[in-house]
Amino acid sequence: MSLALVSHSTYLDHDEPSHPECAARLRSINSAIAADTQLSALLQPLEPRRATDAEILAVHQAGLLHQLEHMAADGGDWADPETYVLPNSVEIARLAAGGALAAVSAVLDQRVDQAFALIRPPGHHATPSTAMGFCLFNNAAIAAQFARDQYGLERVAILDWDVHHGNGTQDIFENDPHVLYISTHGWPLWPGTGHWREMGGQAGAGSILNLPLPPLTGDMGFDMAFRQVIAPAIQSFRPQLLIVSAGYDAHIQDPLGSLAVSTAGYANLAAIVYNLAAEVCDGRLVGLLEGGYNLEALAHSVVATLRTWLQLPHGASAHAATHIPEPDLTPLINALRAAHPLVQR
Ligand SMILES: [Zn+2]
């Protein structure tokens, strides 16, 4: 087994130190990986590249690219009240999207079995026309569309375990039957989209699968949701590539999230997606960093994910969170079983 890790020091240059989405996030992850000599010896370093205009415009409107380039050229601005654009941010966002593309190519060219890209700014809130929620370009969507356009894949799945709904990814693919978008997210929580009844528009009917989770859903609820809803959906859809929008803000220690996943819980999710990829798409699995704002929880959870994908013990002790009583997900699971074309039985 082999696992590529995309990283680049330029990703540290998009930085507003007082903002939750700051370069300290990556520094924390990089230190934790470096400290784990067993892990770092096994990772295959992979250089990102710049995504081209054409690759970005395959999912975004030209107006968004021009707006962001103007903001950057004018010395920087805020794309929305919480999304900063510095003079170098658009170039860095190109390198983030290109890091996702490098990861997809490495896997689809069979140079490695899996890949994980430590990229930022994150992407899943960026819609076709709008940068928002810390995100400039939608890295996962650009990667999925690239796999379709350049490798001719018929079916790609994006599984988004960030605590926030990836409204941008959903917007981009809601009418596209070739890309399945699955999201687990806190509910209620910003941005407020992602009701379980949102299943994709006419042509894409059933290619959106949302699991809005009540506050304090933790390891047990996630395990149930992954095994009883997400696994059957992926088994029915049979993607040829599985992309994980890997946000770590569903962690119990995260300051922005409302859910209660432990580090060991994230390792469990990583194992489930690894096994699903092995079952349906010869193990082709690409992880892309999204959110995660408690520096320690973020770093440990990324390490636990990478170790799991390398079939090493994840090393995280089960957190006390697993013993907090959790909300009952049975009504949500039953609703999706009754209504969602990929989950119905
Ligand atoms: Zn998030």
Side-chain angles (χ1 to χ4, degrees):
M1 82 219 88
S2 57
L3 173 60
L5 186 73
V6 175
S7 65
H8 201 281
S9 59
T10 301
Y11 295 138
L12 300 169
D13 297 339
H14 173 75
D15 192 22
E16 193 73 68
S18 61
H19 192 285
E21 206 296 285
C22 59
R25 299 178 59 230
L26 275 192
R27 282 195 208 97
S28 177
I29 296 170
N30 291 340
S31 314
I33 292 172
D36 186 335
T37 49
Q38 185 188 27
L39 171 63
S40 40
L42 291 172
L43 294 168
Q44 297 190 14
L46 181 62
E47 283 284 310
R49 64 175 176 87
R50 293 169 80 253
T52 64
D53 281 4
E55 287 161 345
I56 292 168
L57 297 179
V59 309
H60 289 296
Q61 294 169 11
L64 172 66
L65 181 56
H66 295 150
Q67 177 208 7
L68 292 173
E69 283 179 337
H70 277 293
M71 280 183 186
D74 288 349
D77 203 343
W78 291 78
D80 81 352
E82 53 191 11
T83 308
Y84 61 91
V85 180
L86 304 174
N88 54 4
S89 293
V90 178
E91 273 307 294
I92 299 169
R94 264 185 202 278
L95 196 68
L101 300 180
V104 165
S105 289
V107 168
L108 294 183
D109 293 339
Q110 298 182 296
R111 282 178 276 130
V112 292
D113 297 316
Q114 287 91 30
F116 195 99
L118 290 173
I119 51 180
R120 52 181 296 279
H124 70 154
H125 297 305
T127 75
S129 61
T130 310
M132 59 181 280
F134 317 165
C135 302
L136 302 187
F137 301 135
N138 195 312
N139 304 318
I142 291 169
Q145 192 61 46
F146 170 77
R148 297 260 300 116
D149 295 342
Q150 293 302 312
Y151 289 87
L153 298 195
E154 284 291 317
R155 295 174 311 282
V156 178
I158 301 172
L159 168 56
D160 185 337
W161 69 39
D162 189 281
V163 79
H164 301 101
H165 179 241
N167 59 299
T169 314
Q170 174 167 313
D171 277 6
I172 289 165
F173 293 119
E174 67 184 344
N175 292 307
D176 185 346
H178 299 281
V179 179
L180 170 63
Y181 175 66
I182 304 175
S183 175
T184 52
H185 44 273
W187 186 273
L189 193 66
W190 189 92
T193 50
H195 194 283
W196 65 264
R197 285 199 176 87
E198 296 167 26
M199 297 181 194
Q202 211 79 63
S207 73
I208 302 291
L209 172 57
N210 283 310
L211 294 96
L213 303 174
L216 292 180
T217 299
D219 296 348
M220 197 175 75
F222 266 83
D223 185 75
M224 209 168 134
F226 269 58
R227 292 183 192 281
Q228 297 186 21
V229 177
I230 293 173
I234 289 177
Q235 285 157 342
S236 316
F237 185 74
R238 300 201 70 78
Q240 295 154 300
L241 169 69
L242 179 54
I243 295 173
V244 180
S245 260
Y248 293 91
D249 42 9
H251 199 285
I252 187 164
Q253 291 171 337
D254 193 272
L256 270 54
S258 56
L259 302 183
V261 179
S262 71
T263 303
Y266 267 116
N268 179 48
L269 304 187
I272 294 173
V273 299
Y274 181 95
N275 290 331
L276 276 171
E279 182 186 337
V280 302
C281 55
D282 296 325
R284 290 190 291 270
L285 180 60
V286 169
L288 306 176
L289 184 66
E290 298 278 1
Y293 305 100
N294 176 294
L295 298 184
E296 199 178 337
L298 169 65
H300 290 161
S301 300
V302 170
V303 165
T305 300
L306 298 175
R307 290 187 67 94
T308 299
W309 286 4
L310 283 165
Q311 298 181 315
L312 299 171
H314 61 72
S317 59
H319 190 276
T322 51
H323 304 302
I324 293 174
E326 292 194 26
D328 180 15
L329 297 189
T330 312
L332 171 67
I333 290 171
N334 287 342
L336 285 167
R337 278 180 174 161
H340 198 288
L342 290 176
V343 188
Q344 268 174 352
R345 54 174 212 185

